[in-house]
Amino acid sequence: MAREAAFYEFLLRMGDNTLILGHRVSEWCGHAPVLEEDIALANTALDLIGQTQMWLGLAAEVQGAGKTADDLAFLRDAWDFRNLLLVEMPNGDFGQTLMRQFLFDAWHVLQLRALTASSDARVAAIAAKSVKEATYHLERSAETVVGLGDGTAESHARMQAALDYLYPYVGEMFLSDAVDAALVEAGIAPDPASLRADYDDTLARVLGEATLTLPEARRARGGGRDGKMHTEHLGHLLTTMQWMQRAYPGATW
Amino acid sequence: MYAQMVKSTGTGLKSADEMSAEERAFQARIDAGEKIEPKDWMPEGYRKTLIRQIGQHAHSEIVGQLPEGNWITRAPTLERKAILLAKVQDEAGHGLYLYCAAETLGVSRDEMTEMLLDGRMKYSSIFNYPTLTWADMGAVGWLVDGAAIMNQVPLQRTSFGPYSRAMIRVCKEESFHQRQGFDIMMKMAQGTPQQKAMAQDALNRFWYPALMMFGPSDKDSVHSAQSMAWKIKMNTNDELRQKFVDQTVPQAEYLGLTVPDENLTWNEEKGGYDFSEPDWEEFFEVIKGNGPCNTDRLAARNKAWDDGAWVREGMMAHAEKKRARKMAAE
């Protein structure tokens, strides 16, 4: 695969993850279980949208078609999105939202840490800025997973259900394809599979403390990061997110 | 400010002769510009009125997340989405420090929340109006935050220390909120005909509700005198409303938008605009719970609270387990 094309795909993968998850988290605004969580969720969403601006900004630059980060966010169709399926999954209850966040953060931190050593200086710079935020997100989501897993019988059951529901989407983070091969070759990004052992360690530690049981490994559900088969949820999310740009084409806001 | 029609508990303003020695000393401290701190002696009426006022303000910040949250997921650009998220996050933060200020008066945040949820405590009438287009995010920032600042700036000098300090922090952030609102309006007023129409429509819908934010006319404002003597309220409702109109009309002209008031005229003699009163009957209906969004807003807050019960209980149970394990280990 040509290096530039692979690089563009990679930037979409990074930017679409933060865009779609940032959007999902922002859906909580004003509806969290306690005021501190409203603040924390808004803060997480804000960080993720900020990271999106950097990743998709660079993607637009690399694409070289005169587009902006906003064009990429608001004017692509569902099959053009390259985010992990995990991040487009619905919020569900607060437990499901925080479990999704934890499963993502645990990967995101490892990925960003590796990217700080990227051969591409722009990628390394975005990663260096983002990793601080992601580390904080992970601290908070892990703490919440532990608190609710090891809380009441009800909170435990809800967290276990969330884990069972979301775990099949974890495997996609570690799948490799031609894009990854080209990136590894160019020293831009790590081989996804190389992050798995550390990821599993984090999960074992946090879920152990949370008294939750990792479900039996099932076939990884993929199709998001290569855009081959998203879930039905993504289209609805985009319908909301892209509505203004599509209803009033060419307007500036 | 987001407090309207806060009832003071006194039976009217007392003269110095009618006051007890403690009350006289208290009033003298206020008159001398001293700050009252939570552990100081204070009249029961002062304490209760402040709880109502600060609580109402805090609740307004919390309920105020809803009309703006309504547009976060539809924000038209990444930058606008980020700015709106930051703004709503600030508002939740304002709620937090205001609840903390009220807690120093001997009422817990949970108690105040319960009173909001069952309707015993109020929040600003403005948040019972819907946000229907993106221009409403502009109008809310420009007009609603603009009106709030008008009230909050003088409250930085209010007599109760924790409230005054909370207001100082709040004011720093509110001016950014108003600017971002005006900026949205400017983009839209200079945009396509559709955008301009949306901007005008937002001004039409938010103008009178914004004027209502200052509360009823002074002649009908029965609780003002005591609150002003206590420096809980720094200006009368009509003074602030006039100031708001005088500041906002030139801004609307600059935007090329029309204030929806045929009677709006510059009055050279008073050095301010003459303008139409809002429909006070509508205001009292909204306060009573009959505004366009009262039911939905309270239902949303109740749902968030009820759905979150298992989370709060789970977190408490975990903290308790951790404490017990730590004790056992020691």
Side-chain angles (χ1 to χ4, degrees), chain B residues 60-128:
Chain B
S60 299
E61 300 281 358
I62 303 313
V63 178
Q65 294 180 94
L66 298 171
E68 291 185 311
N70 184 39
W71 280 92
I72 284 181
T73 54
R74 287 177 289 172
T77 69
L78 294 170
E79 193 189 359
R80 288 290 178 207
K81 195 188 190 79
I83 292 172
L84 194 54
L85 270 165
K87 178 174 191 280
V88 175
Q89 188 192 7
D90 283 348
E91 276 150 12
H94 297 171
L96 199 57
Y97 8 109
L98 286 161
Y99 282 128
C100 290
E103 282 186 319
T104 67
L105 292 160
V107 59
S108 74
R109 198 210 305 180
D110 281 358
E111 283 173 284
M112 283 184 280
T113 300
E114 295 289 349
M115 287 193 271
L116 166 68
L117 296 180
D118 66 19
R120 275 177 293 158
M121 281 182 95
K122 303 283 181 210
Y123 55 89
S124 177
S125 58
I126 193 74
F127 300 117
N128 289 313

Side-chain angles (χ1 to χ4, degrees), chain A residues 132-146:
Chain A
K132 290 181 202 143
E133 294 167 349
T135 303
Y136 174 70
H137 297 168
L138 175 59
E139 223 171 85
R140 201 184 82 79
S141 61
E143 215 171 80
T144 310
V145 165
V146 169

Side-chain angles (χ1 to χ4, degrees), chain B residues 44-321:
Chain B
E44 198 48 22
Y46 177 85
R47 197 181 66 82
K48 285 194 172 147
T49 307
L50 266 175
I51 289 175
R52 288 204 189 106
Q53 181 168 328
I54 302 174
Q56 198 180 108
H57 189 166
H59 296 330
S60 299
E61 300 281 358
I62 303 313
V63 178
Q65 294 180 94
L66 298 171
E68 291 185 311
N70 184 39
W71 280 92
I72 284 181
T73 54
R74 287 177 289 172
T77 69
L78 294 170
E79 193 189 359
R80 288 290 178 207
K81 195 188 190 79
I83 292 172
L84 194 54
L85 270 165
K87 178 174 191 280
V88 175
Q89 188 192 7
D90 283 348
E91 276 150 12
H94 297 171
L96 199 57
Y97 8 109
L98 286 161
Y99 282 128
C100 290
E103 282 186 319
T104 67
L105 292 160
V107 59
S108 74
R109 198 210 305 180
D110 281 358
E111 283 173 284
M112 283 184 280
T113 300
E114 295 289 349
M115 287 193 271
L116 166 68
L117 296 180
D118 66 19
R120 275 177 293 158
M121 281 182 95
K122 303 283 181 210
Y123 55 89
S124 177
S125 58
I126 193 74
F127 300 117
N128 289 313
Y129 290 87
T131 54
L132 302 178
T133 73
W134 176 252
D136 290 11
M137 294 303 96
V140 167
W142 173 38
L143 301 174
V144 175
D145 293 307
I149 292 170
M150 211 46 96
N151 232 316
Q152 285 164 354
V153 166
L155 277 174
Q156 295 178 94
R157 293 179 285 112
T158 188
S159 62
F160 187 55
Y163 192 26
S164 154
R165 291 187 287 273
M167 279 302 115
I168 291 169
R169 292 181 68 175
V170 166
C171 281
K172 279 188 192 147
E173 294 172 344
E174 287 291 352
S175 53
F176 147 73
H177 296 172
Q178 194 196 11
R179 272 202 307 277
Q180 69 84 35
F182 190 74
D183 188 56
I184 290 176
M185 290 308 266
M186 204 147 70
K187 274 267 163 37
M188 297 193 68
Q190 295 167 349
T192 65
Q194 274 172 314
Q195 284 177 299
K196 190 164 180 186
M198 274 189 247
Q200 181 62 53
D201 174 62
L203 174 57
N204 293 350
R205 280 182 290 107
F206 276 96
W207 175 255
Y208 288 105
L211 295 187
M212 292 175 193
M213 286 176 66
F214 299 97
S217 174
D218 294 345
K219 59 184 192 306
D220 303 317
S221 186
V222 285
H223 309 292
S224 283
Q226 179 62 76
S227 287
M228 288 185 74
W230 278 335
K231 294 190 187 166
I232 289 174
K233 194 177 165 101
M234 309 300 285
N235 304 83
T236 71
N237 298 348
D238 286 335
E239 273 167 23
L240 291 171
R241 193 169 9 252
Q242 181 71 50
K243 220 173 145 192
F244 174 76
V245 171
D246 293 344
Q247 177 188 288
T248 310
V249 170
Q251 294 172 348
E253 283 168 0
Y254 178 79
L255 290 170
L257 300 177
T258 310
V259 172
D261 180 358
E262 287 176 2
N263 299 317
L264 188 75
T265 42
W266 178 256
N267 180 330
E268 195 61 52
E269 206 177 311
K270 76 172 179 186
Y273 286 91
D274 290 331
F275 58 93
S276 301
E277 291 276 311
D279 177 353
W280 290 114
E281 204 179 311
E282 174 182 313
F283 171 76
F284 289 112
E285 281 299 316
V286 175
I287 292 279
K288 266 196 277 176
N290 301 324
C293 299
N294 296 60
T295 309
D296 288 345
R297 298 285 187 248
L298 264 192
R301 288 310 307 164
N302 271 288
K303 184 173 189 312
W305 189 248
D306 295 345
D307 288 355
W310 73 268
V311 176
R312 297 189 301 274
E313 285 157 14
M315 284 301 195
M316 293 282 281
H318 177 69
E320 185 52 40
K321 282 185 198 176

Side-chain angles (χ1 to χ4, degrees), chain B residues 3-72:
Chain B
Q4 297 156 320
M5 302 189 62
V6 173
K7 285 189 184 127
S8 65
T9 51
T11 46
L13 202 48
K14 287 183 186 173
S15 68
D17 291 345
E18 293 166 314
M19 288 183 193
S20 68
E22 274 172 320
E23 285 171 332
R24 257 198 306 274
F26 177 81
Q27 190 61 51
R29 288 186 64 195
I30 289 183
D31 294 343
E34 280 181 44
K35 291 277 178 261
I36 307 301
E37 295 301 331
K39 295 223 163 76
D40 297 347
W41 184 88
M42 61 184 79
E44 198 48 22
Y46 177 85
R47 197 181 66 82
K48 285 194 172 147
T49 307
L50 266 175
I51 289 175
R52 288 204 189 106
Q53 181 168 328
I54 302 174
Q56 198 180 108
H57 189 166
H59 296 330
S60 299
E61 300 281 358
I62 303 313
V63 178
Q65 294 180 94
L66 298 171
E68 291 185 311
N70 184 39
W71 280 92
I72 284 181

Side-chain angles (χ1 to χ4, degrees), chain A residues 23 26 29-31 33 35-36 39 43 46 70 74 95 144 147 150-151 155 158 240-241 244-245 248 252-253, chain B residues 62 73-74 76-78 80-82 88-89 92 109 134 195 198 301 304 308 310 312 314-315 318 321 325:
Chain A
H23 183 95
S26 78
C29 179
H31 304 281
L35 188 49
E36 283 81 352
I39 296 173
N43 189 52
L46 186 56
D70 282 337
F74 296 103
T144 310
D150 183 39
S155 73
R158 283 176 182 262
T240 304
M241 188 177 85
M244 295 260 320
Q245 288 274 355
Y248 306 98
T252 52
W253 305 95
Chain B
I62 303 313
T73 54
R74 287 177 289 172
T77 69
L78 294 170
R80 288 290 178 207
K81 195 188 190 79
V88 175
Q89 188 192 7
R109 198 210 305 180
W134 176 252
Q195 284 177 299
M198 274 189 247
R301 288 310 307 164
W310 73 268
R312 297 189 301 274
M315 284 301 195
H318 177 69
K321 282 185 198 176
R325 279 197 291 260

